[in-house]
Amino acid sequence: MTRAPHPDRQTPRSAGRAADLLAVLAAALLVLAAVLVGRHLQDTYRNLFVHWPPIFADWDPHVGPGTPAALLVAVAVVAYGPNLALRLPWRGLLGAAWGACLAWTWSLALVDGWQRGVAGRLTSPNEYLTVIGRWHDIPATLRDFTHHIVSGTPEPWPAHIAGHPPAATLTFVLLDRIGLHGGGWAGAWCITVGSTACVAVLVAVRALADERLARRAAPFLVMAPAAVWVGASADGYFAAVAAWTVALLALAVTGRSVAWAAGAGLLYGLTCYLSYGLTLFALIGAAVLVLGRRRVRERPVLLALLLVAGAAVVPLVFTLAGFDWWQGYRLLVTRYYQGVGGTRPYGYWVWANLACTVVVTGPATVAGLRRAAAVPVRRRTAPVAEKRLAFLVGAALLALLLADLSGMSKAETERIWLPFAMWLLPACAFLPRPRVWLTAQALLGLLVNHLLFTGW
């Protein structure tokens, strides 16, 4: 005969759920504080340059052609996602996850309509497509690129072009050169490539932790509120390149062929030339090497050579073409403080940025991170796979916190930090009752996209 638990004594399961809810409540209060304090600062001092702080957005309740599809995708993923993630063959799961992620991201983007939600995103005054005409001679433009970063120089680059190494702009120049002209193709590129980030994260989690955790994380990678900003921003594309860097490195240190390391190095080099701040992905890469240290010990020289050789290719090409990455970064710092970055208060954004991250990753990720943080506490009983996943997620969180403390990301981090946010989402694999948490994720994404216009 079993004895009923004492009414004043919580079971471990109920205690865990209570702690999850407390973590989510604390995160919600953080977001509320960021909204209220931000509203006061913006109304009083006009120093945030954000209309709906902490999110770079305007209050604009609306529906659009993507609304029915977004609701349908959300219902389908919540209802069938967890079971399908457990039952589908692995390759079938990867294809299904990418397809569902594409559907979710496209439908959310089309809530704002084709022009405002997709085709016009990358043609606004600060965006990449506005300077396509200045790249008639690509080598000459690369040699001259740093001469137009600082405000006050002849024909200074618009904000997003000046704020990134030239591989970001060059991507859209090359799309234009092959006949994919205009904002529609550029937006489609960012959504299509950006949606592959969920596949890359699944590949890495399976390789570094185990397949069970990867399958449990899959629906959450699909139903992330982050999709609001993947469609359609260049940062969604950057997130995918960074994610595949980690995925290929994970395959290199856990699989049969270390040749994957060359691909990882090549993509890491490209990542650094897409965004200066994504050099911090070296921390996540280091975590992967720690998790795969046995394989690294077996063939250290070959792995190191492949990784370093791959990482050298993109920097070497751009350097020989005349672009100095270090000079570009130094000039960017000057440009940043010439503009709104020098006015936006660090004391607000250093914590309000984290509120933006809560909105991007959702309440399920907050609860998942709470559980991931508890894994080292119960290190004697926690499965090895869970320890490994918690370590990987922790490295991503550390990289994000360093980006925050740098002061070079004040506002718009709901978009800028998409590459880091993707690696926090796997923490949702620790959660019980996935449908409840998936519902919360879906509702947040739908509310953000239908109540705000997230222009940038």
Side-chain angles (χ1 to χ4, degrees):
M1 182 176 179
T2 59
R3 180 177 296 177
H6 191 278
D8 295 329
R9 187 180 300 159
Q10 287 185 313
T11 64
R13 180 175 296 180
S14 62
R17 289 175 182 172
D20 292 342
L21 293 176
L22 284 174
V24 171
L25 177 61
L29 290 175
L30 176 68
V31 174
L32 179 61
V35 171
L36 296 178
V37 174
R39 186 75 275 157
H40 170 73
L41 291 174
Q42 181 63 12
D43 290 345
T44 305
Y45 303 105
R46 303 288 177 182
N47 60 351
L48 297 188
F49 302 95
V50 173
H51 295 161
W52 205 87
I55 304 296
F56 194 88
D58 293 291
W59 179 257
D60 181 23
H62 62 288
V63 295
T67 298
L71 291 170
L72 183 62
V73 172
V75 170
V77 173
V78 170
Y80 303 106
N83 284 341
L84 286 175
L86 296 176
R87 295 178 179 177
L88 285 173
W90 176 248
R91 291 186 179 181
L93 173 60
L94 295 181
W98 184 31
C101 194
L102 272 174
W104 177 236
T105 308
W106 269 110
S107 59
L108 288 176
L110 291 173
V111 168
D112 297 321
W114 170 254
Q115 183 59 36
R116 194 167 76 147
V118 180
R121 291 285 188 176
L122 294 161
T123 60
S124 61
N126 285 322
E127 282 288 0
Y128 301 96
L129 268 64
T130 59
V131 300
I132 295 293
R134 293 173 60 176
W135 287 72
H136 295 299
D137 185 336
I138 290 176
T141 305
L142 287 173
R143 288 193 299 271
D144 198 44
F145 190 88
T146 56
H147 297 154
H148 305 282
I149 292 177
V150 177
S151 295
T153 54
E155 298 184 281
W157 296 119
H160 287 189
I161 292 84
H164 294 83
T169 309
L170 186 57
T171 298
F172 299 102
V173 172
L174 295 176
L175 285 176
D176 185 77
R177 290 285 178 90
I178 64 173
L180 303 180
H181 310 294
W185 283 112
W189 167 266
C190 292
I191 292 173
T192 304
V193 177
S195 296
T196 68
C198 76
V199 179
V201 175
L202 289 176
V203 168
V205 171
R206 181 182 186 239
L208 297 171
D210 68 9
E211 187 171 318
R212 180 186 66 87
L213 288 172
R215 288 178 177 275
R216 288 183 61 84
F220 293 97
L221 285 160
V222 169
M223 191 83 340
V228 172
W229 293 275
V230 173
S233 76
D235 294 271
Y237 155 51
F238 303 162
V241 176
W244 281 107
T245 299
V246 178
L248 294 186
L249 184 57
L251 292 176
V253 300
T254 60
R256 295 180 180 178
S257 175
V258 296
W260 291 112
L266 185 66
L267 288 182
Y268 180 68
L270 176 58
T271 297
C272 294
Y273 278 74
L274 290 171
S275 174
Y276 294 105
L278 295 186
T279 53
L280 286 171
F281 257 74
L283 286 173
I284 305 176
V288 173
L289 292 176
V290 170
L291 291 173
R293 57 189 177 277
R294 184 170 62 182
R295 177 71 167 168
V296 173
R297 290 194 194 108
E298 290 175 358
R299 307 178 74 178
V301 176
L302 181 57
L303 184 68
L305 285 175
L306 286 172
L307 187 61
V308 172
V313 171
V314 173
L316 185 62
V317 168
F318 276 94
T319 301
L320 291 176
F323 172 73
D324 185 333
W325 190 96
W326 291 104
Q327 182 188 29
Y329 178 71
R330 290 194 297 270
L331 293 172
L332 165 64
V333 174
T334 301
R335 169 70 177 264
Y336 184 76
Y337 286 100
Q338 285 178 326
V340 297
T343 304
R344 286 171 169 161
Y346 179 86
Y348 170 76
W349 287 109
V350 75
W351 59 273
N353 284 338
L354 302 180
C356 293
T357 304
V358 170
V359 177
V360 171
T361 57
T365 305
V366 173
L369 288 173
R370 200 283 308 169
R371 288 180 176 258
V375 168
V377 177
R378 54 185 183 89
R379 59 183 181 274
R380 291 183 179 179
T381 58
V384 172
E386 291 188 5
K387 295 177 186 176
R388 293 169 68 86
L389 178 57
F391 183 74
L392 179 65
V393 170
L397 182 59
L398 176 61
L400 185 147
L401 292 174
L402 289 176
D404 188 31
L405 293 173
S406 74
M408 289 297 290
S409 297
K410 296 196 286 279
E412 303 181 60
T413 53
E414 65 274 9
R415 170 181 56 81
I416 298 169
W417 287 354
L418 280 175
F420 302 114
M422 294 297 175
W423 292 95
L424 303 181
L425 294 168
C428 297
F430 294 119
L431 296 173
R433 304 179 67 188
R435 285 193 180 87
V436 174
W437 291 107
L438 280 171
T439 300
Q441 298 288 89
L443 285 174
L444 179 58
L446 291 168
L447 285 172
V448 168
N449 216 89
H450 285 83
L451 294 178
L452 302 174
F453 175 62
T454 54
W456 36 84

